[in-house]
Amino acid sequence: MSTWNAAQSADFRGPLDVTRAATAVLDAQSVIIGWSPAAEDLLGYPSYEIIGRPLDTFLPSVVASGIPAATEPILPLGPFGGSEIRVAKHRNGHTLLVATAVCPLPGTGTAERVLVAADLASLRMWESRLSMLHGLATQSPVGLAIYGTDLRLTWCNAAYEREIGAPLAAFRGLRADELYSEGRFVTKGYPDTLDAVMRQVLDTGEPILDLHFRGQPPSDPGRDHLWSCSYYRLQDADGHVFGLCEDAFDITDRYEAQRRLSLLVEAGRGIGTALDAIVTAEEITEVAVPDFAHTVTVDLAKAVLEGEVPGDGSSAVMALVRVASRSAPAASAPAAEQGDPGKRRERRGKAQRHRPHPVEYAPGSPQHRSLSSGGLVLDDNTLVVPLRAEGGTLGLVTFLRSSTSATFDGGEVALADELVARTAVSIDNARRFTRERTAALSLQRQLLPQHLPQQSAVDLAYRYLPTDDVTGVGGDWFDVIPLSGTRVGLVVGDVVGHGLQAAATMGRLRTTVRALAQLDMAPDELLKRLDDLVGQSAEEQSEARGSLADRYDDVITGATCLYAVYDPVSRRCAMARAGHLPPAIVDPEGRLSFLDLPAGPPLGLGGLPFESLEIELPVGSLVALFTDGLVEARERDIDVGLDTLGRVLSDRRGSLEELCDRAVSELLPDGTTADDTALLLVRTRELGAQQVADWELPAEPVAVGHARDLATGQLHDWGLEELSFSTELVVSELVTNAVRHAGGPLHLRLIRDRTLLCEVADAGHTSPHPRHSAEDDEGGRGLFIVAQLVQRWGTRYSRSGKTIWTEQALPSAD
């Protein structure tokens, strides 16, 4: 039995079918000469009672008024004419609506025609079912196909014909694998071929639902489609299996929309994770390969990598640099087969890591056209999208599909544009960061000493570790300041906050400390002046921060500082601190102490005094100045950090550089810190008697000549006779001024160091000033002459008076 015949025998015979309808055979005078059992069941007349009576006995000649004729059945009635609705009389007297059809019986003798009748309600129900079947066959978007037990196609609806691109007659009798020879199931756990799946359903009777099948339909070659397929067995009322039904719904558009959404979600997670243009470029290649393209390359303008804004994006002569590229493995599976993100990463291929190198594109190439037009270019299986930010072009992203893949459709072009737009924002942020970091590093070079000059007073080593990895600078600082008389100023400070704002304030404080230190202020007086600067009004601070405050969240509320002055001649060290940690001192015997130095308030509070402390340091003493970031941590008490630092510093065998490295490695084992860190180590020296000559002189005119003789003799002993003439003039002028304008006693000191220092101290507190004298002035030219003879000169003050000092360069070795 064919599939169609089986269906007819089971369901498709309507109420007017002669085998089931009420049938009456009529002669030429419309007299009933034949009566079927079905007619007796419908109208109540037994055959012996109705035969021989006229037709209008049960069927008047008038058609039922106001009732439309029945719709012509879908299945043909063979020789029967069209149906009409009549009012029939039942034997018991009630009437009923029936549908009737008449068929002539030519050449049969007495019988002229046969009339069939059926209950109208049954007919209407049957026609409704036929209408639904007609809708499935012609209007349903779901492809329906019926295969026989031999797995060959016997019937399909219009949607299935549209998928195949041909009428049923052109492919009836083919097997499913013959229709979709290149297709494959992407749902795991089922047989690989259509035939095998259908055979399993026929054999087991178990339906298979929502099986995803990927292939290229004959109606759309070159483009993969994805269907959701279901298979179930067909059998008649007697249980006889006569085939199976396949329904297939094309979910390609839905899948593509989901895939695009997934790519956008993944792009949101995976693109822009670092403020690095090259890393960001690699991230878009990882997101797009292989789910969106087989190969992706990213080319950036060279200026972008340097943190600069590239030139006019419409210029096709922009210098491009290839920074990232990625290709899918040759056997990469389609995206639909990989629901696990981990498996997707396995098939993404590897980025071709290489040093950025220049690339050039020939005129007329998609990339060249994109640069020229400033817009995206689609050329077959190549899609070029410019990276644009703030109206400028940062570079290009090229998506390439293999020759066997589909070209990019409108939705995919829009998706690529969105992916590249997100990437462009991240790359532009990375470019801005590069620019800010370059500026920050430049600021750091300006704010912190990059090279500390050799000092006669101390040996030194230092380390600086900012917390802010973004800018590379912070609020901690240190400095070593050469002072007059071979003394040295040692500074360490900590500004509250991190980043550029703290660094900018640190720079102001460091510059101020250096300027005040040149005035030879005592440490407590210097901190008082510094406190006045930090404690300026909130309005002045806001103006000082300016645009930096708008771009960085740190708020500067104060600072701490430690300032010390060491004199290698006297081996005395004076120091004061403003809320800072005290220094660690290790004597030549290795004994450690944290100096009990008056703390003083942090800078910026104002109104509170600072105290200085002066101590004598043996030669070879180690002094450590540091910020709290070195010894304080969230998981460690500060006392533990101080003990660790003290243990490291007490090792007298290590050099200063080694001690710095050990302190950092033990206190900051992972190389990171929750706070900025500065460490300055110095080991004290002494200028011996062979380098220093000191005399006390009376404040009398005779002292001028005596001072010249003493200086000349000392220069002779040092072998510096070449400086005798200039030194005599300097000593004569300075002593003369002290005798005339200040009180005694006077002190003359010569120091032979890297330069020749000459100092004259007196009890006065008035600072001399060089001036230009008129031609008829008898004096006033002395300091002007001194300034021309020496490299530097200046004045420093003490409680007992002032000291005028000069420096002269030593003669060259030649």
Side-chain angles (χ1 to χ4, degrees):
M1 179 189 299
S2 70
T3 302
W4 184 246
N5 290 336
Q8 280 186 306
S9 65
D11 289 319
F12 293 100
R13 293 175 298 159
L16 288 176
D17 184 85
V18 72
T19 62
R20 62 171 58 178
T23 306
V25 181
L26 307 175
D27 63 9
Q29 287 74 36
S30 297
V31 175
I32 302 170
I33 61 174
W35 192 253
S36 70
E40 182 176 350
D41 293 338
L42 176 65
L43 298 172
Y45 295 97
S47 58
Y48 63 84
E49 182 178 335
I50 195 67
I51 291 176
R53 300 178 66 178
L55 175 63
D56 57 7
T57 302
F58 72 92
L59 192 68
S61 60
V62 180
V63 178
S65 176
I67 300 177
T71 303
E72 183 178 350
I74 295 173
L75 295 179
L77 293 177
F80 289 86
S83 64
E84 59 182 3
I85 298 173
R86 307 280 292 273
V87 177
K89 292 187 300 183
H90 195 276
R91 183 174 180 274
N92 61 16
H94 76 272
T95 61
L96 69 159
L97 293 176
V98 294
T100 64
V102 178
C103 179
L105 299 173
T108 58
T110 306
E112 182 180 81
R113 61 191 186 278
V114 62
L115 179 144
V116 292
D119 179 60
L120 183 62
S122 299
L123 180 64
R124 290 294 190 224
M125 182 178 296
W126 178 76
E127 288 183 336
S128 174
R129 292 174 180 174
L130 289 181
S131 296
M132 289 188 292
L133 291 175
H134 183 265
L136 288 176
T138 61
Q139 302 170 21
S140 172
V142 178
L144 296 174
I146 295 178
Y147 290 84
T149 54
D150 58 356
L151 302 184
R152 296 190 177 276
L153 183 69
T154 62
W155 178 86
C156 70
N157 66 352
Y160 201 92
E161 289 179 330
R162 288 193 296 270
E163 291 287 354
I164 301 300
L168 173 62
F171 54 88
R172 190 200 305 267
L174 294 179
R175 303 170 72 93
D177 283 339
E178 295 172 336
L179 291 172
Y180 295 94
S181 59
E182 301 296 329
R184 59 191 177 280
F185 285 105
V186 296
T187 305
K188 298 302 181 183
Y190 292 93
D192 294 334
T193 64
L194 285 169
D195 280 3
V197 169
M198 292 180 179
R199 178 57 61 188
Q200 176 178 317
V201 172
L202 281 177
D203 292 343
T204 65
E206 293 292 330
I208 294 179
L209 306 178
D210 195 25
L211 194 60
H212 286 188
F213 180 81
R214 175 179 291 275
Q216 296 182 5
S219 60
D220 189 12
R223 178 172 182 249
D224 279 353
H225 284 239
L226 187 69
W227 291 273
S228 173
C229 301
S230 297
Y231 299 91
Y232 43 91
R233 193 168 68 181
L234 298 177
Q235 57 192 47
D236 58 21
D238 298 328
H240 176 73
V241 176
F242 58 86
L244 71 116
C245 184
E246 174 194 55
D247 65 64
F249 185 68
D250 193 330
I251 60 171
T252 304
D253 292 341
R254 185 181 72 186
Y255 166 74
E256 290 296 332
Q258 292 175 340
R259 184 177 66 88
R260 292 165 189 170
L261 180 60
S262 298
L263 277 176
L264 289 177
V265 170
E266 189 169 357
R269 291 195 304 258
I271 296 177
T273 62
L275 287 171
D276 187 301
I278 295 179
V279 171
T280 303
E282 291 176 348
E283 287 171 342
I284 187 177
T285 66
E286 182 178 356
V287 168
V289 175
D291 289 350
F292 186 72
H294 182 270
T295 300
V296 177
T297 63
V298 182
D299 306 320
L300 295 181
K302 185 178 181 181
V304 172
L305 299 179
E306 299 169 354
E308 301 298 329
V309 179
D312 183 5
S314 63
S315 174
V317 297
M318 177 185 294
L320 294 177
V321 177
R322 173 68 49 80
V323 295
S325 64
R326 183 184 295 266
S327 296
S332 177
E337 295 187 37
Q338 303 289 350
D340 183 4
K343 293 182 180 179
R344 290 205 307 268
R345 294 190 187 95
E346 292 177 2
R347 60 191 177 80
R348 280 175 176 161
K350 294 184 178 180
Q352 299 176 14
R353 294 188 174 273
H354 44 63
R355 295 177 62 87
H357 60 278
V359 291
E360 294 184 3
Y361 292 104
S365 65
Q367 291 83 359
H368 189 275
R369 301 202 315 266
S370 178
L371 286 176
S372 300
S373 64
L376 60 84
V377 172
L378 177 60
D379 188 351
D380 294 331
N381 60 345
T382 301
L383 176 62
V384 181
V385 184
L387 288 155
R388 298 187 63 83
E390 296 186 354
T393 300
L394 307 179
L396 299 174
V397 179
T398 301
F399 301 94
L400 180 67
R401 289 183 171 174
S402 61
S403 58
T404 59
S405 298
T407 58
F408 297 92
D409 60 26
E412 290 171 327
V413 170
L415 174 61
D417 200 26
E418 175 66 19
L419 290 175
V420 174
R422 296 189 181 197
T423 305
V425 171
S426 298
I427 288 179
D428 191 52
N429 289 338
R431 178 194 64 80
R432 294 170 182 270
F433 163 72
T434 300
R435 182 182 61 190
E436 296 292 341
R437 180 172 175 80
T438 300
L441 294 177
S442 177
L443 176 65
Q444 181 187 37
R445 287 191 291 268
Q446 298 296 324
L447 297 180
L448 292 175
Q450 300 301 301
H451 174 71
L452 296 178
Q454 292 294 322
Q455 302 286 333
S456 299
V458 293
D459 294 319
L460 55 90
Y462 60 89
R463 295 293 183 271
Y464 175 75
L465 287 80
T467 302
D468 194 343
D469 293 333
V470 174
T471 62
V473 295
D476 289 12
W477 90 94
F478 66 92
D479 208 348
V480 178
I481 307 171
L483 302 176
S484 62
T486 68
R487 297 169 307 134
V488 62
L490 307 173
V491 192
V492 66
D494 184 357
V495 173
V496 175
H498 310 294
L500 283 177
Q501 186 180 2
T505 299
M506 174 267 286
R508 288 194 299 145
L509 297 182
R510 177 175 179 264
T511 302
T512 303
V513 169
R514 290 187 73 89
L516 296 177
Q518 297 303 324
L519 300 178
D520 283 306
M521 291 184 175
D524 56 342
E525 178 63 20
L526 183 144
L527 292 181
K528 177 62 175 65
R529 300 287 184 89
L530 200 59
D531 181 65
D532 293 340
L533 173 67
V534 177
Q536 60 186 309
S537 67
E539 181 179 353
E540 291 172 337
Q541 285 184 339
S542 178
E543 293 176 357
R545 290 196 298 268
S547 62
L548 287 174
D550 298 333
R551 298 166 66 180
Y552 298 93
D553 295 332
D554 294 334
V555 177
I556 296 181
T557 58
T560 64
C561 183
L562 170 65
Y563 179 63
V565 177
Y566 176 68
D567 187 345
V569 177
S570 63
R571 293 184 286 105
R572 307 287 296 177
C573 183
M575 60 185 71
R577 63 183 176 126
H580 203 83
L581 292 172
I585 298 177
V586 181
D587 66 17
E589 302 301 322
R591 291 184 293 268
L592 169 75
S593 64
F594 290 94
L595 191 63
D596 187 14
L597 180 64
L603 299 172
L605 297 183
L608 298 175
F610 300 95
E611 297 183 46
S612 288
L613 178 66
E614 186 171 322
I615 60 174
E616 183 175 338
L617 294 175
V619 177
S621 297
L622 176 65
V623 181
L625 286 70
F626 51 91
T627 58
D628 56 1
L630 180 67
V631 294
E632 192 173 25
R634 294 187 182 93
E635 71 281 356
R636 180 184 65 215
D637 188 77
I638 190 171
D639 291 334
V640 177
L642 292 173
D643 291 342
T644 302
L645 177 62
R647 174 173 51 80
V648 172
L649 299 179
S650 298
D651 183 2
R652 299 291 296 173
R653 295 169 297 177
S655 66
L656 294 181
E657 293 291 340
E658 292 172 343
L659 292 178
C660 278
D661 290 337
R662 286 182 53 193
V664 170
S665 63
E666 294 200 22
L667 290 167
L668 307 173
D670 58 356
T672 60
T673 172
D675 195 5
D676 302 327
T677 298
L679 172 62
L680 176 64
L681 298 184
V682 298
R683 184 164 282 144
T684 62
R685 292 179 177 178
E686 180 184 23
L687 294 182
Q690 69 278 9
Q691 294 179 269
V692 181
D694 191 0
W695 301 278
E696 183 174 331
L697 302 171
E700 300 174 356
V702 68
V704 177
H706 185 43
R708 285 197 300 267
D709 294 339
L710 292 173
T712 304
Q714 186 63 54
L715 292 179
H716 176 75
D717 293 342
W718 284 341
L720 299 177
E721 292 86 351
E722 186 176 336
L723 299 179
S724 295
F725 175 74
S726 59
T727 303
E728 282 188 72
L729 288 176
V730 170
V731 170
S732 178
E733 179 60 29
L734 296 183
V735 174
T736 297
N737 284 342
V739 170
R740 289 181 178 179
H741 305 295
L746 309 180
H747 291 272
L748 171 63
R749 185 168 72 165
L750 296 179
I751 300 176
R752 180 183 179 180
D753 189 35
R754 289 180 170 81
T755 59
L756 176 64
L757 286 84
C758 177
E759 300 178 345
V760 175
D762 58 48
H765 289 84
T766 303
S767 176
H769 299 283
R771 61 187 177 87
H772 292 280
S773 300
E775 293 181 357
D776 54 351
D777 287 344
E778 295 182 357
R781 300 178 179 86
L783 279 180
F784 182 78
I785 295 174
V786 168
Q788 306 306 309
L789 294 174
V790 299
Q791 285 184 325
R792 296 192 308 152
W793 73 280
T795 305
R796 67 174 181 266
Y797 296 89
S798 64
R799 292 183 176 86
S800 60
K802 71 175 182 297
T803 299
I804 309 297
W805 55 270
T806 66
E807 286 187 13
Q808 298 179 70
L810 297 179
S812 64
D814 296 336

